[in-house]
Amino acid sequence: MFRILVLFLCVLTVSGCGPSKEELRRQQLLEAQRVEDARREAQKLAAERDARIQERLNDARGAWTSESYLNESNIEVLFSGELTNDLRAGRTYFIELELQAAKYNYTDGKQSFVIVGMRNLPNSSVYSPLFPDRNAAYQPGQKAKSVLEFTLKNETVKNRLDQTVEKEDGKRWVAAALNFKDYEVLATMQSSWRWEPGLFEDLSWLVNPETAYKQTSGRSLTMQIGYRFCPLQRCRLEYQYRQHPISAIRADVMSVLVGNRSNGQVLAEFVREDK
């Protein structure tokens, strides 16, 4: 009898220690508030992302229409080490490069292109100081990043035909960016366009040969790239490549636009989504 009484008292004690109806209701309200706060935060971040993408697309389209591109004066300022108001504000500078069409690939149903003026450096140890491996502090060694190098300016001379050509051992001023062909840096606005990994093709258009020919026959396709440059001294690098002194500056690619200069048509747009 005594044991039964003790057991009964234990049950009453345990029951009394459980949450009351008011406490359960309070916990439910707190959880509902947490879910609502998370929903609002996600909604806010999505709205900021959409606004950021639209702003970058508008900037790219405006530069394409007005052909407002990086000029000699801009390049001199970039490599002077001077911290200007534009650089502080994170201004986007644009350049335009030629797209060279490859032979149409009937097997894969695509038109591929090579970007003229761009150098692909996979596992580039020379650029490790500008693009360090974040895991290097936790594991032995330094894994080199894949980098794309874009010539902004080079030292030129006149040849015997009075043509302006690159000096044989002349200096180059280049922008270096993480390889957006390998890393998911840019989001595409047109699913028929995609980046190609490797060294021999850069970009492909999944389209029929007739449509591709209409755009490529005039050899007037170009690629516009928008950069934000890092103005800090640690974002600069000097090195030698095939007797060419190279002065490099780190850049983040904010947008890429593919268009036809003969008719002004925009064919593809890529944009960086994050900050």
Side-chain angles (χ1 to χ4, degrees):
M1 184 68 181
F2 177 74
R3 290 182 178 178
I4 294 175
L5 180 60
V6 171
L7 181 61
F8 179 71
L9 290 174
C10 289
V11 170
L12 288 177
T13 302
V14 171
S15 299
C17 292
S20 64
K21 290 183 179 180
E22 290 76 11
E23 178 63 18
L24 286 173
R25 177 60 177 165
R26 190 183 74 85
Q27 291 178 5
Q28 290 171 351
L29 289 173
L30 289 174
E31 177 62 17
Q33 185 62 48
R34 187 193 65 78
V35 171
E36 178 61 17
D37 290 345
R39 185 191 67 80
R40 289 181 179 176
E41 181 65 17
Q43 191 176 48
K44 177 187 173 184
L45 293 175
E48 291 175 351
R49 170 188 168 276
D50 291 344
R52 191 162 55 240
I53 289 174
Q54 192 58 55
E55 181 182 8
R56 290 170 183 173
L57 287 174
N58 290 342
D59 287 346
R61 291 167 187 167
W64 168 261
T65 302
S66 62
E67 298 185 45
S68 303
Y69 295 134
L70 194 69
N71 57 36
E72 192 83 11
S73 176
N74 296 146
I75 295 171
E76 289 177 2
V77 170
L78 281 175
F79 288 91
S80 69
E82 180 184 353
L83 189 60
T84 65
N85 289 332
D86 282 340
L87 287 174
R88 285 194 185 95
R91 175 185 172 184
T92 301
Y93 294 85
F94 296 91
I95 68 168
E96 189 174 34
L97 301 173
E98 177 189 350
L99 279 183
Q100 190 175 78
K103 187 177 179 181
Y104 185 84
N105 187 327
Y106 286 91
T107 302
D108 295 334
K110 67 180 183 180
Q111 174 64 62
S112 296
F113 301 90
V114 171
I115 304 170
V116 179
M118 182 188 82
R119 195 160 72 95
N120 197 330
L121 297 110
N123 303 320
S124 176
S125 58
V126 70
Y127 275 110
S128 290
L130 297 194
F131 302 97
D133 175 21
R134 299 302 180 189
N135 295 320
Y138 309 100
Q139 63 187 24
Q142 174 94 4
K143 184 179 179 182
K145 299 284 189 179
S146 178
V147 174
L148 297 177
E149 188 182 89
F150 303 86
T151 300
L152 304 177
K153 175 185 172 183
N154 53 31
E155 203 172 355
T156 59
V157 294
K158 293 282 188 178
N159 64 13
R160 294 179 180 179
L161 301 176
D162 201 35
Q163 298 170 324
T164 301
V165 296
E166 184 178 18
K167 189 176 179 181
E168 186 175 350
D169 55 354
K171 184 172 181 177
R172 292 177 184 168
W173 291 263
V174 305
L178 281 178
N179 189 343
F180 47 73
K181 300 197 305 169
D182 291 344
Y183 305 114
E184 294 183 0
V185 177
L186 301 173
T188 177
M189 302 294 106
Q190 292 82 16
S191 59
S192 58
W193 289 80
R194 71 184 186 196
W195 299 110
E196 295 285 2
L199 302 176
F200 304 107
E201 292 179 346
D202 296 318
L203 181 65
S204 288
W205 187 16
L206 304 179
V207 70
N208 62 61
E210 294 77 20
T211 301
Y213 180 76
K214 288 178 183 178
Q215 298 292 349
T216 60
S217 58
R219 298 183 179 180
S220 54
L221 291 190
T222 64
M223 173 180 285
Q224 174 187 283
I225 304 177
Y227 301 103
R228 281 188 185 168
F229 295 99
C230 174
L232 305 177
Q233 188 57 45
R234 61 180 172 81
C235 296
R236 302 171 189 276
L237 183 69
E238 304 284 338
Y239 76 100
Q240 193 90 5
Y241 172 71
R242 293 183 178 177
Q243 298 184 329
H244 291 280
I246 306 293
S247 184
I249 183 170
R250 174 172 175 161
D252 290 321
V253 176
M254 310 310 293
S255 64
V256 170
L257 182 150
V258 176
N260 190 326
R261 270 295 167 208
S262 66
N263 57 25
Q265 185 178 357
V266 173
L267 301 176
E269 294 166 297
F270 302 83
V271 66
R272 187 172 184 137
E273 296 179 297
D274 63 11
K275 295 181 180 181

